[in-house]
Amino acid sequence: MIGRRASYLHPIKMYVFSSAIFFLLFFSLFKPSDAVNLDEEASLNAKQRADYILSLQNKLKKDSSNKFLQDRILLLKDTTRPFPAADTLETESKEGLRIGFGEKTYKNFAEYDSIQKALASSKKDGWLLRLITKKGIQINNKYKGRPNEAITKLFEGFFHRMPYLLFISLPLFALILRLVYIRRKQFYFADHGVFTIHLYVFSFIVLLFIFGLDKLQDLTGWNFLDTLQGFIFLGLVVYLYIAMHNFYKQGWGKTFVKFLLVSLLSLVMMVILFAGFLIFSAATI
């Protein structure tokens, strides 16, 4: 910031290098299938059983003559008999995967189009909801009886788009800083960008350390590592606060208010990006 840059790494090069290392190790440590891995030998506990009964009862309301669902509900209500998780897959195999974005799901395009034509113009779905609903129908039919495969595909697509998500979020985070510090005329957008790059690089390092501790806990069973990971993650939040104070040279109180504002806006920004990339990933499975 004061012009002495020759002894420092170029921020863009530093970001590219650190993000490449981060995602290389991240994809080595975590597989999308791990997120949806189902222990088919395990039995449903009381809460899982109650939730599953409720979901089947909701399906039965739409198809009251479905003998298969009636038998499943009776079997689930018999608490003297275990209900293996694998049996939920059998139910889905009979009923089909049902991904829906509204109160109702549809078996095929013809059923959906027929219902839409019968509605008044004001009650028909808009073009976006129509597009999303038809994609849900397509996924339901493509992965009928194979919900785990559909979810795994979704996670695979989302995980491999995460580098793009973070890259897009970088200038957006810098824009948030620019808006929060709009009265500090000596800081240009590029300055906020350099600050953001250093923050992201530090976050990559901290998250890799947290992931490493998580894998160490899996190997050793040391539960205290959970608490340590929590403290390290909290340290990342504190780091942002201290970094904002040191970089923008304002008082601790004013910096804290702006820190809360930046945190809130960046959270909203990341939620929107995650939702957008998740929808896009669902559209490509």
Side-chain angles (χ1 to χ4, degrees):
M1 289 301 294
I2 60 177
R4 296 199 291 264
R5 298 172 185 163
S7 60
Y8 296 91
L9 285 172
H10 190 284
I12 300 295
K13 292 179 181 178
M14 182 166 61
Y15 176 83
V16 171
F17 174 77
S18 59
S19 64
I21 296 297
F22 173 80
F23 284 108
L24 178 66
L25 293 175
F26 177 80
F27 291 129
S28 299
L29 291 172
F30 297 97
K31 306 295 182 198
S33 56
D34 295 340
V36 292
N37 186 40
L38 177 66
D39 184 0
E40 298 184 8
E41 299 302 321
S43 297
L44 300 184
N45 59 37
K47 184 179 183 309
Q48 290 171 332
R49 188 183 284 250
D51 290 343
Y52 197 51
I53 289 174
L54 183 61
S55 71
L56 294 185
Q57 286 174 337
N58 288 333
K59 288 183 179 181
L60 191 60
K61 288 178 183 178
K62 301 173 185 177
D63 186 9
S64 57
S65 62
N66 193 317
K67 188 69 168 60
F68 177 77
L69 287 178
Q70 293 172 1
D71 292 341
R72 284 282 153 170
I73 292 171
L74 288 175
L75 185 62
L76 282 159
K77 287 182 176 179
D78 183 3
T79 55
T80 62
R81 298 179 61 181
F83 194 89
D87 284 5
T88 64
L89 293 181
E90 184 184 344
T91 304
E92 296 301 327
S93 179
K94 292 280 187 180
E95 292 300 304
L97 178 66
R98 283 284 175 261
I99 293 176
F101 298 92
E103 295 181 355
K104 182 172 175 57
T105 56
Y106 305 89
K107 292 181 180 179
N108 49 53
F109 293 152
E111 180 188 0
Y112 175 67
D113 290 336
S114 174
I115 291 174
Q116 285 294 301
K117 285 179 182 177
L119 295 174
S121 298
S122 59
K123 294 186 178 181
K124 290 181 179 179
D125 292 342
W127 70 269
L128 181 59
L129 184 56
R130 190 161 59 247
L131 183 67
I132 292 173
T133 302
K134 287 197 171 184
K135 184 60 185 180
I137 296 170
Q138 182 183 347
I139 295 172
N140 289 334
N141 293 330
K142 183 178 180 181
Y143 294 98
K144 186 175 182 180
R146 296 173 288 137
N148 270 18
E149 184 181 343
I151 298 171
T152 299
K153 290 281 187 183
L154 176 63
F155 273 87
E156 280 179 355
F158 182 73
F159 276 19
H160 286 92
R161 289 182 177 90
M162 280 185 63
Y164 304 104
L165 186 152
L166 291 178
F167 188 74
I168 292 173
S169 72
L170 199 153
L172 294 177
F173 189 88
L175 178 61
I176 290 172
L177 290 172
R178 179 74 181 92
L179 295 174
V180 170
Y181 288 98
I182 195 167
R183 297 178 65 184
R184 306 299 301 279
K185 302 300 183 183
Q186 68 270 38
F187 293 102
Y188 297 97
F189 186 82
D191 299 323
H192 300 298
V194 170
F195 176 87
T196 303
I197 287 172
H198 282 82
L199 174 66
Y200 274 45
V201 169
F202 182 76
S203 301
F204 287 148
I205 296 169
V206 171
L207 289 174
L208 280 178
F209 192 58
I210 291 174
F211 294 156
L213 289 175
D214 183 61
K215 287 300 179 182
L216 181 61
Q217 182 183 4
D218 290 343
L219 293 172
T220 61
W222 295 341
N223 293 327
F224 75 90
L225 292 177
D226 257 343
T227 306
L228 182 58
Q229 290 173 57
F231 276 114
I232 294 172
F233 189 80
L234 181 62
L236 183 58
V237 178
V238 174
Y239 172 85
L240 173 59
Y241 173 46
I242 296 173
M244 288 174 64
H245 169 74
N246 292 342
F247 189 80
Y248 294 104
K249 306 297 182 184
Q250 290 187 323
W252 288 105
K254 185 178 284 189
T255 299
F256 184 70
V257 173
K258 292 188 174 182
F259 161 76
L260 292 178
L261 184 57
V262 168
S263 299
L264 177 61
L265 292 174
S266 60
L267 177 63
V268 172
M269 178 262 293
M270 291 304 293
V271 168
I272 293 172
L273 283 178
F274 267 78
F277 271 75
L278 195 61
I279 292 172
F280 183 76
S281 298
T284 56
I285 66 173

